[in-house]
Amino acid sequence: MFNLRSFQQKSPQQRFLFILGLVMFAFYMVLGVGLIVWKDFPVDIERTYRILLGVLLIVYAAIRFSRILKQKEQE
């Protein structure tokens, strides 16, 4: 899945955007899991809506990750 040789051949801009995409994937995933798991969330949102928003963020993170993988395969 991860080929170091193809990563080294990318331009600095492509490498930066790839790493930024991975960081944003991790951010959305952690935020979604945090919304679901955190009991005393600082913002007053009903538990049902927090779970719904958390699941939505996790699905969005999965879509972003699949787009990163698809873009990487095309190169």
Side-chain angles (χ1 to χ4, degrees):
M1 183 173 124
F2 183 73
N3 186 358
L4 185 60
R5 193 172 312 166
S6 70
F7 186 72
Q8 290 174 347
Q9 292 175 353
K10 289 183 176 185
S11 71
Q13 181 183 9
Q14 287 176 325
R15 262 187 263 150
F16 173 75
L17 291 175
F18 176 72
I19 293 171
L20 181 65
L22 289 178
V23 167
M24 292 308 295
F25 157 73
F27 173 75
Y28 286 122
M29 185 64 77
V30 167
L31 186 61
V33 171
L35 276 170
I36 293 171
V37 175
W38 197 353
K39 299 285 184 203
D40 299 324
F41 195 68
V43 180
D44 189 27
I45 302 174
E46 281 187 43
R47 176 107 176 116
T48 307
Y49 294 127
R50 274 195 2 235
I51 292 174
L52 185 64
L53 182 59
V55 169
L56 186 66
L57 285 171
I58 291 171
V59 168
Y60 181 66
I63 291 170
R64 285 186 67 101
F65 188 69
S66 68
R67 290 180 71 195
I68 289 171
L69 288 181
K70 188 184 299 183
Q71 181 182 14
K72 187 166 176 38
E73 289 173 358
Q74 290 177 352
E75 293 174 353

